[in-house]
Amino acid sequence: GQQLNQSPQSMFIQEGEDVSMNCTSSSIFNTWLWYKQDPGEGPVLLIALYKAGELTSNGRLTAQFGITRKDSFLNISASIPSDVGIYFCAGLPLGGSNYKLTFGKGTLLTVNP
Amino acid sequence: ETGVTQTPRHLVMGMTNKKSLKCEQHLGHNAMYWYKQSAKKPLELMFVYSLEERVENNSVPSRFSPECPNSSHLFLHLHTLQPEDSALYLCASSQGTGLSSEQFFGPGTRLTVL
């Protein structure tokens, strides 16, 4: 089945720094999603991307749907301590069911105040 | 207030026990999902219900048995589990199962099988 390669696995940064993480696949995806999971909680959707090349922002977060439809990145600018958590990419593979998300393994972000 | 609640939040059970996980959504959605989240592995979709009908069983062992009595409630019945079934079990719901139907997750049940 399709797999998403998410990197980096973890990041340790200073408050105020910018962060970038990405997901790649060998298969084409027609939707890319980015979620954040806080400790003891379920994932929460941050940004959804539906069109190749699409660049979408949500506050300090920016994500892009790669032009090849096989990758996506998430940037966080001017990080703050509450950005700590696990960030997951997820996608809907081309030709698959509209609800059957494929998830990456996550990027653990730690922000040092 | 979260729109998707799960109980219990933590569960420890032996391999011969029978237990059930409960999920309730207060969002008026008509699709509900069970996911398994294991350490260092991607979230795995287990079951999907749409309008109380099971539309997906993602090759899940029969020791996991889902039940969806109505569009607001979803159960996962557990029996004769194995230690490798220990994981965080997440419930989610969505308005439908279409392309842009956002899935809202509950906080999960942390299951430990001894």
Side-chain angles (χ1 to χ4, degrees):
Chain A
Q2 294 89 351
Q3 288 186 332
L4 291 182
N5 300 306
Q6 185 171 351
S7 64
Q9 289 186 353
S10 62
M11 302 183 74
F12 188 92
I13 62 171
Q14 294 295 124
E15 182 177 359
E17 291 183 355
D18 297 342
V19 172
S20 184
M21 58 193 79
N22 69 83
C23 262
T24 60
S25 173
S26 58
S27 306
I28 291 175
F29 281 69
N30 60 24
T31 296
W32 285 96
L33 307 170
W34 285 93
Y35 287 86
K36 182 192 177 194
Q37 186 172 23
D38 291 326
E41 301 295 332
V44 174
L45 183 65
L46 299 173
I47 293 179
L49 304 159
Y50 300 106
K51 189 176 176 182
E54 180 181 354
L55 183 71
T56 297
S57 293
N58 178 6
R60 294 178 294 105
L61 278 60
T62 301
Q64 184 160 30
F65 191 141
I67 198 70
T68 65
R69 303 169 73 185
K70 294 182 179 181
D71 63 325
S72 177
F73 71 75
L74 174 70
N75 287 342
I76 305 173
S77 62
S79 59
I80 59 178
S82 62
D83 290 333
V84 165
I86 304 176
Y87 292 79
F88 293 97
C89 63
L92 290 174
L94 181 68
S97 303
N98 287 335
Y99 53 81
K100 200 167 181 178
L101 293 171
T102 298
F103 282 83
K105 292 184 179 180
T107 295
L108 174 61
L109 177 64
T110 303
V111 179
N112 192 29
Chain B
E1 178 202 334
T2 179
V4 181
T5 58
Q6 291 186 242
T7 54
R9 294 293 307 273
H10 301 271
L11 178 63
V12 179
M13 60 186 290
M15 290 190 285
T16 58
N17 291 158
K18 290 185 179 181
K19 296 287 184 182
S20 295
L21 310 184
K22 179 183 176 182
C23 176
E24 184 173 359
Q25 59 96 359
H26 311 273
L27 300 169
H29 290 166
N30 54 34
M32 298 187 78
Y33 310 74
W34 280 116
Y35 285 87
K36 178 183 179 182
Q37 186 175 31
S38 304
K40 300 186 179 180
K41 293 177 70 175
L43 267 74
E44 301 171 54
L45 180 65
M46 300 174 71
F47 301 104
V48 180
Y49 277 82
S50 177
L51 298 172
E52 299 147 47
E53 180 180 337
R54 191 190 309 179
V55 297
E56 185 78 35
N57 177 345
N58 204 23
S59 303
V60 180
S62 59
R63 57 185 184 270
F64 294 92
S65 175
E67 179 190 1
C68 188
N70 55 62
S71 60
S72 299
H73 294 85
L74 184 66
F75 294 89
L76 188 62
H77 304 299
L78 317 171
H79 64 99
T80 58
L81 294 192
Q82 304 297 311
E84 60 265 28
D85 296 323
S86 298
L88 182 68
Y89 287 85
L90 291 163
C91 173
S93 72
S94 62
Q95 181 59 47
T97 53
L99 186 62
S100 59
S101 294
E102 178 182 346
Q103 295 180 28
F104 292 80
F105 286 84
T109 295
R110 173 68 63 186
L111 174 67
T112 302
V113 182
L114 302 177

